[in-house]
Amino acid sequence: MSVIGRFPAGGPRGSWPAEELAAQLRGRGRAATVVMDLDSDMFLVVEPRLEEAA
């Protein structure tokens, strides 16, 4: 997986920047999704690498 963006989990209430970025990327045809990295307390926007998608 490739990490495209990192966002702190403690963002302002009602703000979902990781989800917004992933939605924009999916709108452009990329396979972006959001996962939680518990060790760093960050939301990560990720997408599979080409060799992983095959």
Side-chain angles (χ1 to χ4, degrees), residues 11-50:
R13 184 177 210 118
S15 175
W16 302 95
E19 291 291 348
E20 292 167 5
L21 176 59
Q24 288 174 1
L25 293 169
R26 286 191 299 267
R28 296 183 206 146
R30 294 177 71 178
T33 190
V34 177
V35 297
M36 178 69 182
D37 179 11
L38 296 175
D39 292 335
S40 66
D41 197 31
M42 301 281 283
F43 288 110
L44 308 177
V45 178
V46 298
E47 72 178 345
R49 292 188 183 129
L50 292 178

Side-chain angles (χ1 to χ4, degrees), residues 2-17:
S2 296
V3 177
I4 301 166
R6 297 174 185 271
F7 299 88
R13 184 177 210 118
S15 175
W16 302 95

